[in-house]
C-alpha cells in the first residue's frame, strides 16, 4: 500500500435491521495535507463498539456520522506528522477516529469539551489501550466497583457476558469475591466463560431457559445484576430474583441499537420497591479522573494472572464491516477489534 493513499470505509446508507457490507463503501483517496492545529495519525487498531450503529444511523446527536463520511470509531495508532501542540511524530495515541488508514485529528471529538485523543504510554499495547484499559475496561471496572459495590460472597450475574465489557466485569466481580454467573449465547461461549474465564456458572440464552437456569444457579437470589443487552425479559428475570438491597448496574442496551422500534421494556419493577433494590447507570467517561486507579488495579490483576483481557481480533481494514456485524451476531469472544497494521 502506498503511504500516499488513504483507504477508508465511507458510510453509504443508514444501517437497517442487520449490518451489511453494502451499508459502507470502500474508497481510496490521497492522504490529506495538514493545517495548523492538526495531526496525522496512522491507525493500527480499530475498536468495534455496538454504539457505532447509533452514530451511523443519525441517533448519536452531534457525534452522528453524515452519509458519505468515513465510518467512525475509537482507534489507536501512531502520529506520523503533527502540527498540533502537545503531539509529536512517533507518539502512540488512541481516540476518536475512523475506519481508515490515516485520520486527520485536531485532538478532539465532536464537542469542544471532549479531550478525545490521548497518548498511550509506551508500556501499554495499543490493543489493550482500546480494550481493558479503554472504555470497555473502564465501564466494567466502575460499573462493578462503584455502582455494583460488591461484597465478599455476593451473587453477581452479568449478561452479554462473553462480550468485551461483560467478560471483564464478571472477572472483576470474581476477583472481588463474588460468585459469578454469565448469560451469553452459544454453548461454546458458555463453556468458554466457565473454563477460560473461571465463571462459577454460565447460561446459554439460545438453548437454555434463562429463568430455570437462574433458579438453579442462584437459588438464594441475585445481589448484583450487570445489564448490557437491554433485553426486557432478561431484566425481568433478574429483577424477579433480586435480593434485599440488590443493585442493577445499567451499562448498555445493545438490543435497542439495531431495532427499528423500541423493544418492550421491563414489566417486573415491583421487586425494586419491595427489595429496596437500586438500579443505576454507569457512564465510563464520568470517571476520567480515576482511570489511573482503575488501570493500576486492572494491570496488577492481569500481571498476577487473575484477570484475562480477552480480545477477538479480525485482521484487515477490509474486514471492518464484518467485525462490527460479529458484535451484533453474538460471535465475539471478548473485545472486538480490527487490526489494520503492525506499524
Ligand atoms: N456505559 C458505558 O460507559 C459503556 C461503555 C462501553 C460499552 N457500553 C455498553 O456496554 C454494552 C456492551 O458493550 P461491548 O462493547 O462490550 O459489546 P459486546 O458485549 O462485546 O458485544 C455485544 C454483545 O451483545 C449481545 N447482543 C448483540 N446483539 C444483541 C441483541 N440484539 N439482543 C441481545 N443481545 C445482543 C451479544 O452477546 P450474547 O450473544 O452473548 O448475549 C454480543 O456479543 C453495550 O451496550 C455498550 O453500548 C457502555
Amino acid at each position: 500500500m502506498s503511504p500516499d493513499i488513504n483507504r477508508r470505509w465511507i458510510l453509504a446508507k443508514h444501517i437497517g435491521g442487520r449490518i451489511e457490507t453494502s451499508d459502507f463503501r470502500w474508497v481510496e483517496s490521497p492522504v490529506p495535507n495538514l493545517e495548523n492545529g492538526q495531526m496525522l495519525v496512522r491507525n493500527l487498531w480499530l475498536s468495534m463498539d455496538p454504539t457505532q450503529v447509533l452514530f451511523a444511523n443519525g441517533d448519536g446527536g452531534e457525534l452522528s456520522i453524515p452519509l458519505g463520511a468515513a465510518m467512525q470509531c475509537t482507534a489507536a495508532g501512531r502520529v506520523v506528522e503533527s502540527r498540533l501542540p502537545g503531539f509529536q511524530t512517533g507518539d502512540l495515541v488512541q481516540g476518536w477516529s475512523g475506519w481508515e488508514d490515516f485520520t486527520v485529528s485536531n485532538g478532539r471529538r465532536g464537542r469542544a469539551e471532549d479531550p478525545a485523543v490521548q497518548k498511550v504510554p509506551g508500556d501499554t499495547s495499543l490493543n489493550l489501550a482500546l480494550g481493558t484499559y479503554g472504555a470497555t475496561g473502564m465501564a466494567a471496572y466502575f460499573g462493578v466497583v462503584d455502582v455494583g459495590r460488591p461484597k465478599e460472597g455476593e451473587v453477581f450475574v452479568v449478561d452479554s457476558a462473553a462480550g468485551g465489557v461483560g467478560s471483564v466485569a464478571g472477572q472483576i466481580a470474581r476477583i472481588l469475591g463474588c460468585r459469578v454467573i454469565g448469560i451469553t449465547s452459544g454453548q461454546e461461549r458458555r463453556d468458554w466463560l466457565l473454563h477460560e474465564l473461571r465463571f462459577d456458572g454460565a447460561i446459554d440464552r439460545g438453548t437454555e431457559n434463562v429463568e430455570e437456569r437462574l433458579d438453579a444457579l442462584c437459588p438464594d437470589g441475585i445481589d448484583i445484576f450487570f445489564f448490557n443487552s437491554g433485553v426486557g425479559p432478561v431484566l425481568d428475570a433478574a429483577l424477579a430474583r433480586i435480593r434485599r438491597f440488590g443493585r442493577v448496574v445499567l451499562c448498555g442496551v445493545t438490543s435497542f441499537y439495531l431495532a427499528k422500534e423500541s423493544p418492550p421494556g421491563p414489566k417486573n419493577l415491583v421487586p425494586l420497591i419491595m427489595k429496596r433494590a437500586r438500579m443505576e447507570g454507569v457512564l465510563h467517561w464520568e470517571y476520567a479522573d480515576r482511570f489511573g486507579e482503575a488501570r493500576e488495579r486492572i494491570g496488577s490483576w492481569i500481571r498476577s494472572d487473575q484477570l484475562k483481557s480477552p480480545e477477538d481480533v479480525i485482521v484487515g481494514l477490509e474486514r471492518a464491516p464484518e467485525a462490527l456485524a460479529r458484535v451484533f451476531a453474538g460471535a465475539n469472544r471478548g473485545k472486538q477489534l480490527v487490526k489494520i497494521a503492525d506499524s
Side-chain angles (χ1 to χ4, degrees), residues 216-252:
L217 291 166
C218 325
D220 298 323
I222 298 168
D223 295 290
I224 304 169
F225 178 51
F226 194 107
F227 191 33
N228 285 308
S229 74
V231 175
V234 172
L235 178 58
D236 283 339
L239 289 176
R241 290 156 184 83
I242 203 80
R243 296 181 69 176
R244 193 166 160 77
F245 300 120
R247 286 82 76 200
V248 176
V249 183
L250 179 54
C251 180

Side-chain angles (χ1 to χ4, degrees), residues 44-45 76-78 92-94 120 124-131 337:
L44 300 173
W45 291 84
R78 187 172 38 82
L92 298 177
V93 292
Q94 66 134 326
V120 176
T124 302
S125 61
L126 294 180
N127 42 320
L128 201 59
L130 288 182
L337 296 170

